Amino acid sequence: MMADLLAGLEPPPAAREEIGPGALLLRGWALPRVDTLLAGVVEVAAQAPFRHMVTPGGFQMSVAMTNCGQAGWVTDRGGYRYAANDPATDRPWPALPPAFSDLAGAAAHEAGYPGFAPDACLINRYEPGARLTLHQDKDERYQGHPIVSVSLGLPAVFQFGGLKRADPIRRVSLAHGDVVVWGGPSRLFHHGILPLKEGLHPQLGATRINLTLRRAL
Ligand code: MD3
Ligand code: FE
């Protein structure tokens, strides 16, 4: 424990914050693994490029997305769903990099959800102005599993509401290296990302990347 702390492998206990029922924010938790995670993103995007998908209502999303794992989240005029193949190439999505699954399993364990084994990862890429309007994540087959999110690059303002769309909304800043484990009641809470502000991150430039590790199937 103390040795891990000194080695920079474990953040101090003050970096743990319960931001909702069953939702634990681990500030800076991914920092020791950022380079490996980013290498995974580059590898995935080489095989399944980022693209701006279209919502069922016909709007192009401002966030660019790609996926890896057994299934990928997609949207088009036909609706939202998980698909085994990338519609852009008709080939299976790239495999989940082990660094992604390892980090998700360890973070979930840390948050009190042992045995979490993700089978899918949605990778979101934001540039200044890009946003994600308030929504719930309900396309996974069984919504009892937690979701682990990792924020990289420019900081963003995360909106966190409740089960009902009209519930009060809190704002939480998510920065480079922050990990959040969304389980329990929070798993189905409404959430979104406000338009990304201009900025330059030393490693990622004018970009924010968010990984969400999920059990989709
Ligand atoms: C709370 N992504 O991919 S991460 C998404 O930053 C998504 O790109 C945002 O919402 C992003 O669906 C927010 C935080 C997050 C992710 C998934 C959640 C919060 C969540 C699922 C349930 C509840
Ligand atoms: Fe979401």
Side-chain angles (χ1 to χ4, degrees), residues 135 137 191 214:
H135 67 277
D137 287 26
H191 59 277
R214 304 148 184 267

Side-chain angles (χ1 to χ4, degrees), residues 81-106:
R81 64 196 174 276
Y82 279 93
N85 287 359
D86 178 353
T89 61
D90 207 34
R91 286 181 299 152
W93 296 101
L96 266 184
F100 287 23
S101 348
D102 292 352
L103 179 133

Side-chain angles (χ1 to χ4, degrees), residues 122 124 126 132 135 137 147 149 158 160 182 186-187 189 191 193 208 210 212 214:
L122 171 63
N124 294 334
Y126 296 75
L132 204 55
H135 67 277
D137 287 26
I147 290 180
S149 74
F158 175 73
F160 196 30
W182 312 91
S186 292
R187 171 65 182 76
F189 281 12
H191 59 277
I193 294 283
R208 171 175 185 264
N210 181 262
T212 47
R214 304 148 184 267

Side-chain angles (χ1 to χ4, degrees), residues 126-185:
Y126 296 75
E127 269 147 35
R131 63 201 279 257
L132 204 55
T133 55
L134 213 62
H135 67 277
Q136 290 173 292
D137 287 26
K138 293 192 301 190
D139 300 317
E140 298 73 28
R141 200 165 282 162
Y142 168 67
Q143 290 140 20
H145 297 294
I147 290 180
V148 175
S149 74
V150 184
S151 292
L152 300 168
L154 286 180
V157 180
F158 175 73
Q159 298 180 297
F160 196 30
L163 270 185
K164 289 174 292 172
R165 196 179 182 85
D167 285 340
I169 290 168
R170 282 169 310 136
R171 292 176 172 196
V172 181
S173 177
L174 293 180
H176 184 66
D178 288 351
V179 175
V180 193
V181 182
W182 312 91

